[in-house]
Amino acid sequence: MTTTVIDPADQRAPALGRLGWALADGWTIAVRDLQHWRRQPGQLAVGLLFPVLMVVMFGYVLGGGMAIPGGGDYLDFLMPGMFALTMVFGLEATMTAVTTDASRGVTDRFRSLPMARSGVVLGRAVADMLGSVLGLAVMLLCGLAVGWRAHGTLAEALAAVALLLWLRFAFLWLGIFIGLATRDPGVIMAVQILVWPFAFLSNAFVPTSTMPGWLGAVAEVNPMAATVAATRDLFGNPGAQADGWLAEHALLVAVVSPAVMTLVFAALAVRRWQRLER
Amino acid sequence: MAAPPTPPRAAPVGPTARDQTARDQTAGGGAEAAVLVRGLRKTFGGRTVLDGVDLAAPPGTVLALLGPNGAGKTTTVRIVSTLLRPDGGEVRVAGHDVVREPDAVRRRIGLVGQHAAVDEVLGARQNLVMFGRLHHLGKAEARRRADAMLERFGLTEAADRPVQTFSGGMRRRLDLAAGLLVSPDVLLLDEPTTGLDPQGRLDVWAAVRGLAGQGVTVVLTTQHLEEADRLADQVCVLDGGRVVASGTPDELKAAIGGDRIDVVVAEDRRGEAARVVAAATGTPVQQPEDRPGLVTAPVADRMAALTAVVRALDDAGLAVVDVGLRRPTLDEAYLRITGRPAEAAQQTEVAA
Ligand SMILES: Nc1ncnc2c1ncn2[C@@H]1O[C@H](COP(=O)(O)OP(=O)(O)OP(=O)(O)O)[C@@H](O)[C@H]1O
Ligand SMILES: [Mg+2]
């Protein structure tokens, strides 16, 4: 018992503004996720390589029997879908991280500290987006390795990457909302499973024109579908030929629909956060 | 046989929290209690969980909240630590209102919740450095304090192992270290010794006493009378969301009836033994239904009662299987304080 009592105010680093502290606290929390990666490299590797496995399965095992309307190589067609799928898979990481913190009391610990409230969410966002940038980089390399190519300009390729991360950002908010809304591992598992039919019911694996009419219509309104169609177009990959309003305006929808998702789920997540106090 | 003496009623023993509050506020110098709770109410979905709780902990004292499961101890601690909003009443910590100035409160408290709240994947040191940074300590200072805390709680050896591999006691100690990281004015401990071995419990007790000695105000919750007895300057017994008794441990024990004597005899002779023990102690005895052959009675003077009871049983020719003196259990405390038995224990009283 040698510690002496000091006024906590004297122990602190020099004052930053409100925004400064939000950024600093957000970074502290993001760094914690980077430390998780270092401590669990196996888990990180599995997360990064799983979509690669999907490319092998769909590109080589099933891809032989696939024909793209309008012609073209199936792998060239498949990769943009796989990029988008990798972004959607990020939902699981976000959701799991948020519920784990809530159920372990870590969220409460953060809430009892004199840190910026927004730092918790900011940290989550930074960490998960970094994770997805890494995941996307691995997938782009994987694509190049299997012969996929971006045929457009560099600017178009960068725009495609931005659209993919924009989709990930929308799913970040969905993940935070679900993570705060439930501590039931059953619900989390259900969402993880539902991601699959969600992904298949899109243009990621097969062109929607090959589906029965009504199913194709459902697949086209999938928020992922516009991103896939738009990235195919920007990368100059086959299968981007559109029919229907949604498909023709893929770029616009790929920008707008994640924005709508973000607004809706960010608002819901903030409400959930406030309800922790009740 | 005379009529059974009625157990003391729910009269609050010693100064009630409200008296204490009044005294603190009128005291010269205007030193306000470090933790002041007045008329605190909280409902969850229409269910009232706290129903007008009053508490006051003067600076540098230890206040124990004693109560059974569901009494509202955790809810109270969560409100005081700004995690929950009160539905009514006033809560001030170090002079700051928890609703209006939550950040000022957060800067002055250390919280150790009922369950360990640390990152399981990180190491102990990484956890503490992170929490230090979130307290807005500088990088070097956060590291220095983390190391000091690891040393103090005997975690230096395990500092870099993932917390997942820690035992319950080590986790608890890490949690305490996190709560004490920035020398808080007010330390809130929710069942700090639950799940600890005897040595761990002694360590926590020593830490709490040491902190109080340095002027830290400690509010802790516990289900154990002994813990409240060892640590607290003031004990508040919470039951069903109300303070049903408050006072110093001595005042409370006096109300509870001090020590008890347990006598175990053959089952078919229990009634007889009960009458003999009642006559020897001069207090009402109980024969718990779930413990065949047991007769238990409160005693004032331990040794005198033990001698008298053993002699009386011997004189009556009753073979004693076991006899012993012990502290009252929490159930018995509630029986005394609230005038009703805790739900489960159906007991029959036999008069002298
Ligand atoms: N978030 C909540 N929603 C609904 N009811 C709640 C909530 N938190 C606590 N309660 C209820 O409030 C009552 C008091 O709970 P509290 O956790 O404060 O008790 P406690 O004294 O800490 O008990 P224990 O000794 O078991 O920890 C309980 O009946 C509990 O079910
Ligand atoms: Mg509790």
Side-chain angles (χ1 to χ4, degrees), chain B residues 74 114 190-191:
Chain B
T74 297
Q114 189 165 356
D190 197 359
E191 300 195 21

Side-chain angles (χ1 to χ4, degrees), chain A residues 1-6 8 11-13 21 25 28-29 32 35-36 39-40 101 104-106 108-117 276-278, chain B residues 42 44 78 83-85 106-107 111 116-123 126 130-131 133-138 145 152 160 162 175 178 182-183 210 214:
Chain A
M1 244 31 65
T2 48
T3 327
T4 47
V5 181
I6 318 162
Q11 304 164 21
R12 294 206 162 73
W21 277 127
D25 292 339
T28 303
I29 300 224
R32 163 184 171 229
Q35 290 170 332
H36 280 195
R39 285 201 174 253
Q40 303 181 317
D101 275 358
R104 292 269 156 74
V106 175
D108 281 347
R109 164 87 68 201
F110 290 152
R111 290 172 62 231
S112 78
L113 295 176
M115 62 178 288
R117 303 281 85 176
L276 293 176
E277 283 193 356
R278 297 234 194 106
Chain B
K42 180 74 191 169
F44 287 119
R78 287 174 64 81
L83 293 180
L84 278 180
R85 258 168 186 276
R106 289 177 193 130
R107 271 196 288 275
L111 171 65
V118 287
D119 187 304
E120 299 273 317
V121 178
L122 299 188
Q126 283 177 321
M130 170 176 70
F131 292 134
R133 296 291 281 156
L134 294 176
H135 267 290
H136 298 166
L137 297 178
R145 292 206 145 242
R152 175 170 171 186
D160 295 317
D175 222 29
V182 292
S183 319
Q214 292 165 14

Side-chain angles (χ1 to χ4, degrees), chain B residues 44 47 49 67-76 114 190-191 223:
Chain B
F44 287 119
R47 227 184 94 228
V49 167
N69 291 137
K73 302 184 297 293
T74 297
T75 306
T76 306
Q114 189 165 356
D190 197 359
E191 300 195 21
Q223 301 195 28

